């Protein structure tokens, strides 16, 4: 699975949680909580979506490692 | 009489709604609680449930049409009854007139009987009669006033959805309707009808008739002086919020009590739970607070009530409304029914679903009106305390700030603990600071034993 | 132009000439020419068989009219005034109105009874009351109140044509009134009310002699910018609900004018109909302008004060519209 595939899957999961976000325009270093106004429940739903799509489980203590889209792609790529 | 499904009142300030979509067609069988339509209100698209069981006989309102609250939108009949059932009484009365003419024994005066039969016994134009908001006679309004029953949103079992005395009495027995009741307004029947048609709030009209009665001209003047309709849905929602909050600020004497609660035990329990739970069953801390608020209300019922014009009526269910901000702007506070019951996992699932639907604009009508108290949590962005305004007709609201690490004294030693500041805003007409303080104390205790939540 | 009296007379004359079953009967209708001079000259033209002076006994001659009608005749019975007609109420209520019902539809009573009603002529209490509503209460008969010259003529013809007992109430102040009369065109149904003047602010609902006071009030109101609609009930039984309700649905205010006493009057009935059928159209309480609850006085100023007048109608309309 390429980094681009992972990116695309993460964005699809993000769209499910926050359909109003323009995922095309999202930069890799955007802070998802601050810039996209996601709260802890949105993050949890996103993490759940990633788990379902890719089988990668992000434990709570690692939430700090998936603050931006770029972080999340790196984190998932290392475990998929 | 064929029961009618009418445009429901989905909030205290709703006067009209736009039928966005029918979810049923003529001939479909529906039962109590089914979602049969989507209605667009100032608060977004709401899924609306039906309270009749039967077969959809006729859809009276087109998609896209905006109609006042109380307007019949569909006729729901007995299974097997045809669509023409509604017309039957007329046909019968004509046939009856014929029978009178033919039956010698019954013959009175034929021609006169006919002349009287064809004169309509009800107002001629349907619209005239049916467009009234809650349709109720003066006697029913008076009884409702005596019993402090709100007619808004009350289901009428009479002809054309007319509210009967029995409906009012029944409503008084089963408890308050979630929507607000207002003091009786002195207004002519015609003025009341056109105010509903035009979406003019009668509470804001100054009456110039005898005894300050509102007349049709007063309604028209009020309409003319009203600011132009805002265009966007977000603007409309903001205006609805503005109206509700202004009213709350004008009418409700708020008092506030605040307590900082040690969240150490709750967060530790949550960490352990989430570490061992499957990812699908993970909880967020918000659900613990939500449940603790609901459980605390079991002991402090005076905060779980609705204001009914002259006094508060305690609500039987504990339905915490969750303030959900919409990312495009706007705010809704749909209810989680019986928030104090069921497992935390289940509550988490319901909360996730509710928030998702609030954001996608697919809330149900009952969720819009059922809340008995509201919880607003703004800690996600770091604020430490919230001083919230009550959402009428509720009589209390709980605001939570962020959980932050602070120096905390435990058994004489300063330690670092995660703490959260909780503020209770409550209606001083209903409860007082002492009761509010006891509620927060109960809440604090509950959060120290998260495993029992 | 024709007088109201002449219009009634023309209609009866036409019937007498064209239909041998028609005859006229009542106190002083022959030699004297009728208490209100409607039948002057009839005795000479039609003879004693068809123009019959009767004893002063209403129960007898109204009863005789009922019998003649059942027997196939088309009697026109003139009763001097509604006050006197009470002597014949037994015949009306227990015979005329019941015959079709009691005979199982075998007998009909094509009787026409005319009588004068109302006050204003200083002929005192026993000759001036308005008791049309007593008759309008009875199922089995029909009640008409012509207020115009044209209706005075047409309703006599319609009354004779009808298979059931018809009672026509002629307001005594109207006999001298002049107006156009068309005897050629097909008349409108007598059982429908008529909008005599269109308006938008308030409906003045009246009949018979009160119609002209309502029209006078509408003129006064117009000077003050209030455009009143005037409805002439015409038929008091059956009542035309539709026209009344439609009018009030346009104006949202109603003033009912009735020369009867207010309690239990037709004005009460109209008010009830509006409350039942036009409740959500009403923007003001219904106003009733009726005769004060006293016997009609003889003295002119007291008689005028007792019965509805233009100023009282104007005041009621203004209360209703909200300008007073």
């Amino acid at each position: 699975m390429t980094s681009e595939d992972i990116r695309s899957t993460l964005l699809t999961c993000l769209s499910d949680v926050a359909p109003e976000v323009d995922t095309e325009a999202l930069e890799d270093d955007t802070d998802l909580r601050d810039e996209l106004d996601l709260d802890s429940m949105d993050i949890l739903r996103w993490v759940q979506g990633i788990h379902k799509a890719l089988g990668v489980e992000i434990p709570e203590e690692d939430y700090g490692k998936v603050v931006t889209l770029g972080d999340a792609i790196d984190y998932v790529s290392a475990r998929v | 009489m064929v029961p009618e499904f009418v445009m429901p009142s989905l909030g205290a300030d709703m006067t009209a709604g736009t039928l966005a979509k029918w979810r049923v067609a003529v001939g479909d069988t529906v039962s109590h609680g089914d979602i049969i339509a989507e209605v667009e209100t100032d608060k977004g698209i709401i899924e609306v449930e039906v309270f009749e069981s039967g077969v959809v006989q006729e859809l009276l309102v087109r998609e896209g049409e905006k109609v006042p609250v109380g307007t019949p939108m569909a006729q729901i009949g007995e299974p097997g009854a045809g669509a023409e059932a509604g017309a039957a009484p007329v046909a019968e009365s004509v046939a009856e007139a014929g029978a009178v003419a033919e039956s010698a024994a019954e013959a009175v005066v034929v021609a006169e009987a006919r002349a009287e039969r064809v004169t309509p016994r009800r107002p001629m134009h349907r619209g005239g009669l049916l467009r009234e908001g809650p349709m109720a006679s003066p006697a029913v309004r008076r009884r409702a006033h005596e019993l402090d029953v709100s007619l808004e949103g009350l289901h009428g079992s009479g002809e054309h959805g007319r509210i009967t005395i029995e409906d009012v009495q029944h409503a008084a027995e089963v408890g308050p309707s979630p929507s607000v009741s207002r003091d009786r307004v002195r207004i002519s029947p015609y003025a009341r009808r056109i105010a509903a048609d035009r979406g003019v709030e009668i509470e804001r009209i100054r009456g110039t008739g005898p005894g300050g009665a509102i007349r049709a001209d007063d309604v028209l003047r009020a309409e003319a002086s009203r600011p132009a309709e805002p265009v966007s849905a977000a603007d409309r929602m903001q205006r609805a919020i503005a109206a509700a909050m202004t009213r709350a600020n004008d009418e409700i004497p708020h008092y506030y009590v605040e307590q900082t609660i040690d969240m150490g035990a709750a967060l530790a329990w949550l960490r352990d739970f989430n570490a061992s739970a499957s990812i699908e069953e993970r909880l967020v801390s918000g659900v613990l607070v939500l449940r603790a608020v609901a459980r605390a209300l079991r002991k402090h019922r005076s905060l779980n009530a609705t204001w009914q014009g002259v006094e508060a009526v305690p609500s039987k269910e504990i339905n915490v409304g969750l303030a959900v901000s919409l990312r495009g702007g706007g705010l809704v506070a749909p209810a989680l029914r019986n928030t104090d019951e069921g497992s935390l996992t289940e509550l988490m699932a319901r909360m996730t679903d509710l928030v998702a639907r609030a954001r996608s604009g697919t809330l149900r009508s009952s969720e819009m009106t059922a809340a008995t108290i509201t919880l607003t949590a703004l800690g996600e962005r770091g604020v430490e305390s919230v001083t919230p305004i009550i959402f009428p007709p509720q009589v209390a609201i709980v605001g939570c700030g962020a959980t932050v690490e602070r120096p905390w004294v435990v058994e004489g030693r300063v330690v670092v603990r995660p703490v959260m500041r909780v503020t209770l805003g409550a209606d001083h007409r209903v409860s007082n600071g002492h009761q509010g303080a006891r509620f927060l104390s109960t809440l604090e205790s509950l959060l120290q034993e998260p495993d029992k939540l | 132009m024709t007088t109201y009296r002449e219009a009634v007379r023309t209609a009866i004359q036409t019937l007498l000439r064209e239909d041998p079953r028609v005859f006229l009967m009542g106190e002083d209708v022959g030699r004297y020419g009728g208490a209100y001079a409607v039948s002057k000259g009839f005795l000479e033209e039609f003879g004693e068989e068809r123009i019959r002076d009767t004893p002063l006994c209403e129960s007898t001659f109204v009863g005789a009219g009922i019998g003649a009608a059942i027997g196939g005749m088309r009697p026109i019975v003139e009763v001097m005034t509604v006050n006197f007609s009470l002597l014949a109420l037994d015949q009306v209520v227990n015979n005329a109105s019941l015959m079709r019902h009691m005979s199982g539809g075998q007998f009909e009573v094509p009787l026409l009874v005319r009588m004068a009603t109302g006050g204003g002529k200083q002929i005192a209490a026993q000759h001036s009351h308005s008791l049309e509503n007593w008759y309008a209460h009875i199922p089995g008969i029909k009640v008409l109140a012509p207020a115009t010259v044209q209706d005075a003529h047409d309703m006599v013809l319609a009354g004779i044509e009808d298979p059931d007992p018809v009672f026509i109430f002629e307001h005594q102040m109207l006999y001298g009134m002049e107006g156009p009369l068309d005897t050629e065109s097909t008349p409108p149904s007598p059982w429908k009310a008529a909008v005599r003047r269109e308006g938008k602010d308030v409906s003045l609902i009246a009949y018979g002699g009160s119609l002209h006071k309502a029209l006078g009030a509408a003129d006064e109101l117009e000077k003050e910018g209030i455009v009143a609609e005037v409805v002439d009930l015409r038929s008091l039984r059956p009542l035309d609900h539709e026209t009344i309700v439609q009018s009030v649905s346009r104006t949202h205010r109603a003033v009912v004018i009735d020369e009867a006493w207010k309690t239990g009057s037709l004005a009460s009935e109209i008010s009830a109909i509006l409350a039942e059928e036009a409740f959500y159209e009403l923007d003001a309480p219904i106003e009733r302008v009726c005769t004060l609850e006293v016997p009609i006085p003889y003295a002119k100023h007291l008689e005028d004060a007792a019965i509805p007048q233009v100023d009282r109608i104007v005041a009621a309309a203004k209360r209703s519209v909200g300008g007073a």
Side-chain angles (χ1 to χ4, degrees):
Chain A
M1 188 170 249
T2 67
S3 165
E4 217 28 57
D5 292 338
I6 290 170
R7 180 190 169 85
S8 149
T9 306
L10 296 193
L11 288 178
T12 306
C13 295
L14 190 58
S15 288
D16 289 342
V17 175
E20 60 282 349
V21 169
D22 178 8
T23 49
E24 305 259 313
L26 213 57
E27 306 277 342
D28 275 7
D29 60 353
T30 307
D31 184 313
L32 298 173
R33 283 166 181 265
D34 279 352
E35 299 291 319
L36 304 185
D37 201 10
L38 299 189
D39 61 19
S40 54
M41 198 157 72
D42 297 323
I43 296 290
L44 174 57
R45 288 179 61 209
W46 185 48
V47 166
Q48 286 170 339
I50 294 168
H51 177 248
K52 207 168 176 182
L54 301 172
V56 176
E57 192 164 318
I58 307 175
E60 259 188 338
E61 58 265 29
D62 284 352
Y63 284 5
K65 296 177 183 165
V66 294
V67 170
T68 67
L69 180 62
D71 291 345
I73 293 169
D74 293 346
Y75 186 96
V76 172
S77 301
R79 288 163 178 80
V80 71
Chain B
M1 189 54 219
V2 180
E4 276 165 334
F5 167 72
V6 301
M7 174 62 75
S9 171
L10 304 173
D13 296 295
M14 173 169 166
T15 54
T18 304
L19 175 70
K21 192 168 189 240
W22 278 117
R23 298 267 285 262
V24 293
V26 170
D28 286 0
T29 300
V30 295
S31 50
H32 183 103
D34 285 357
I35 290 160
I36 77 164
E38 292 173 18
V39 167
E40 189 180 355
T41 71
D42 294 344
K43 299 193 174 74
I45 303 254
I46 312 291
E47 293 178 331
V48 179
E49 297 137 296
V50 65
F51 297 100
E52 306 284 349
S53 296
V55 173
V56 178
Q57 296 193 346
E58 195 182 353
L59 300 178
L60 303 168
V61 172
R62 288 186 312 278
E63 289 180 358
E65 204 175 328
K66 183 176 182 180
V67 295
V69 168
T71 304
M73 296 172 68
Q75 292 193 323
I76 315 288
E78 294 293 317
E84 63 282 355
V90 178
E92 269 166 29
S93 71
V94 172
E96 199 181 316
V100 167
E102 281 161 27
S103 149
E106 288 291 324
V108 182
V109 176
V110 181
E112 177 180 332
R114 285 213 179 104
E116 293 207 335
R117 291 281 178 191
V118 299
T119 14
R121 297 303 165 96
R122 288 198 293 274
M124 245 79 51
H125 39 283
R126 257 171 94 71
L129 179 64
L130 299 179
R131 271 201 296 263
E132 169 73 353
M135 195 162 41
S137 72
V140 170
R141 285 182 191 282
R142 186 184 147 154
R143 190 76 187 122
H145 185 61
E146 285 166 1
L147 295 173
D148 281 322
V149 169
S150 167
L151 294 177
E152 300 287 336
L154 187 62
H155 179 69
S157 66
E159 196 179 16
H160 295 309
R162 189 186 300 274
I163 297 168
T164 64
I165 294 244
E166 287 71 28
D167 294 336
V168 170
Q169 248 136 6
H170 180 67
E173 281 157 21
V174 301
S177 100
S179 61
V180 71
S181 107
R182 287 134 180 194
D183 288 342
R184 194 157 170 267
V185 174
R186 194 171 162 85
I187 178 169
S188 80
Y190 175 61
R192 187 183 288 279
R193 175 160 85 64
I194 64 170
D197 283 359
R198 291 157 192 260
V200 180
E201 265 189 273
I202 59 176
E203 286 76 7
R204 308 238 176 259
I205 305 173
R206 199 175 64 86
T208 61
I214 298 168
R215 309 269 303 249
D217 281 348
D218 302 323
V219 176
L220 298 178
R221 263 196 300 277
E223 187 192 25
S225 65
R226 190 169 58 173
E229 277 290 311
V231 278
S232 74
D235 281 355
R236 282 206 310 275
M237 177 185 281
Q238 188 53 46
R239 232 179 67 183
I241 296 166
M245 290 300 103
T246 303
R247 202 168 120 223
N249 226 20
D250 286 353
E251 293 178 7
I252 304 175
H254 285 71
Y255 72 84
Y256 292 96
V257 285
E258 204 165 58
Q259 184 165 350
T260 303
I261 294 177
D262 181 353
M263 291 293 283
L267 294 188
W269 180 87
L270 188 68
R271 198 161 42 243
D272 289 350
F273 180 92
N274 283 346
S276 60
S278 81
I279 188 162
E280 298 305 327
E281 290 186 329
R282 242 178 241 178
L283 306 177
V284 295
S285 62
V287 77
L288 290 178
V289 177
L290 178 67
R291 168 54 57 85
V293 165
R295 287 277 167 87
L297 285 170
R298 282 183 177 176
K299 282 192 179 175
H300 305 279
R301 306 301 291 213
S302 67
L303 300 173
N304 189 63
T306 54
W307 180 256
Q308 300 285 342
V310 289
E311 62 178 357
V313 179
S315 305
K316 292 207 167 63
E317 295 178 354
I318 294 171
N319 304 330
V320 179
L322 205 55
V324 179
S325 69
L326 307 184
R327 275 184 280 263
L331 176 68
V332 284
L336 280 160
R337 297 294 281 263
N338 301 313
T339 326
D340 55 330
E341 290 170 14
S343 71
L344 276 176
T345 312
E346 185 203 334
L347 185 62
M348 177 71 197
R350 285 165 57 204
M351 182 170 90
T352 308
D353 171 59
L354 187 77
V355 171
R357 283 188 299 105
R359 294 215 164 121
S360 63
T362 52
L363 289 169
R364 290 173 194 163
S365 47
S366 55
E367 291 164 342
M368 292 303 291
T369 53
T372 56
I373 190 172
T374 298
L375 172 64
T376 176
L378 291 175
E380 293 274 350
R381 293 291 164 267
V383 297
E384 289 190 31
S385 81
V386 186
T387 308
I389 296 175
I390 296 168
F391 186 51
Q394 297 162 28
V395 300
I397 185 164
V398 177
C400 297
T403 301
V404 288
E405 293 195 324
R406 288 285 178 268
W408 198 249
V409 178
V410 178
E411 291 169 359
R413 291 173 49 226
V414 176
V415 293
V416 173
R417 302 290 286 180
V419 297
M420 176 177 75
R421 198 174 298 172
V422 180
T423 307
L424 171 76
D427 187 334
H428 219 321
R429 296 171 299 186
V430 183
S431 63
N432 52 46
H434 178 69
Q435 288 163 295
R438 290 185 59 214
F439 165 80
L440 288 182
S441 164
T442 306
L443 181 66
E444 194 262 351
S445 306
L446 288 166
L447 283 168
Q448 303 318 307
E449 296 183 296
D451 52 315
K452 293 186 180 161
L453 290 170
Chain C
M1 297 294 261
T2 312
T3 62
Y4 187 95
R5 172 187 294 109
E6 191 60 32
V8 178
R9 177 190 164 79
T10 303
I12 298 174
Q13 199 168 33
T14 306
L15 290 166
L16 285 164
R17 285 176 182 165
E18 290 176 359
D19 188 343
R21 297 174 302 170
V22 174
F23 70 97
L24 177 67
M25 173 162 65
E27 292 158 356
D28 288 335
V29 298
R31 261 170 242 296
Y32 185 69
Y36 292 91
V38 166
S39 52
K40 224 172 183 117
F42 280 13
L43 184 63
E44 291 72 21
E45 183 178 350
F46 301 105
E48 285 186 348
E49 273 295 301
R50 301 186 70 199
I51 308 298
R52 306 174 79 99
D53 275 323
T54 64
L56 299 182
C57 186
E58 282 75 8
S59 60
T60 303
F61 64 79
V62 171
I66 294 166
I70 292 170
M73 301 298 281
R74 293 289 181 271
I76 300 174
V77 173
E78 180 178 304
V79 180
M80 207 175 277
T81 123
V82 65
N83 285 77
F84 303 165
S85 77
L86 303 186
L87 288 156
L89 266 184
D90 170 57
Q91 289 291 355
V92 175
V93 178
N94 289 322
N95 287 325
S97 77
L98 299 185
M99 198 53 72
R100 183 188 292 281
H101 174 74
M102 300 296 284
S103 72
Q106 296 179 82
F107 298 141
E108 52 190 31
V109 186
L111 167 72
L112 174 63
V113 180
R114 302 171 35 246
M115 65 187 89
T117 186
K121 254 193 154 60
Q122 272 200 283
I123 48 177
Q126 288 165 321
H127 308 85
S128 302
H129 289 146
S130 294
L131 304 173
E132 300 84 90
N133 59 315
W134 294 29
Y135 287 85
H137 180 64
I138 307 165
I141 67 170
K142 296 175 186 171
V143 181
L144 294 170
T148 65
V149 169
Q150 188 68 48
D151 274 351
H153 173 269
D154 296 345
M155 285 180 177
V156 169
L157 301 185
I160 277 290
E161 222 169 80
D162 199 89
D164 293 309
V166 174
F167 288 73
I168 295 183
F169 288 85
E170 297 161 2
H171 195 284
Q172 59 171 346
M173 296 300 283
L174 298 181
Y175 285 112
M177 181 183 72
E178 290 196 325
L181 177 64
D182 171 4
T183 55
E184 304 299 320
S185 312
T186 309
S189 163
W191 314 115
K192 295 290 289 177
V195 174
R196 297 295 186 195
R197 176 188 174 123
E198 291 189 355
K200 61 178 180 55
D201 296 327
V202 57
S203 294
L204 308 180
I205 301 165
Y207 69 89
S210 298
L211 173 69
H212 304 281
K213 291 173 179 169
L215 288 167
D219 287 341
E220 290 298 312
L221 289 164
E222 188 158 38
K223 291 177 196 161
E224 304 187 36
I226 296 169
V227 187
E229 178 150 306
V230 179
V231 178
D232 176 3
L233 292 176
R234 299 179 74 237
S235 170
L236 307 185
R237 185 183 186 92
L239 274 171
D240 176 4
H241 295 214
E242 188 179 0
T243 301
I244 305 165
V245 169
Q246 280 176 352
S247 175
V248 174
S249 300
R250 282 190 293 273
T251 64
H252 308 292
R253 291 150 197 139
V255 176
V256 191
I257 304 105
D258 183 353
E259 214 180 291
W261 295 300
K262 188 187 256 184
T263 305
S265 61
L266 278 166
S268 315
E269 180 63 23
I270 303 282
S271 305
I273 289 167
L274 290 172
E276 284 171 348
E277 301 178 19
F279 183 81
Y280 295 104
E281 297 293 349
L282 288 173
D283 195 33
I286 298 165
E287 294 272 352
R288 287 183 289 162
V289 180
C290 299
T291 289
L292 304 186
E293 311 235 354
V294 294
I296 301 286
Y298 170 77
K300 172 85 174 115
H301 63 295
L302 294 178
E303 181 175 48
D304 285 349
I307 63 184
Q309 304 295 355
V310 169
D311 57 345
R312 275 172 63 199
I313 302 170
V314 168
K318 282 181 172 175
R319 277 196 301 276
S320 177
V321 173

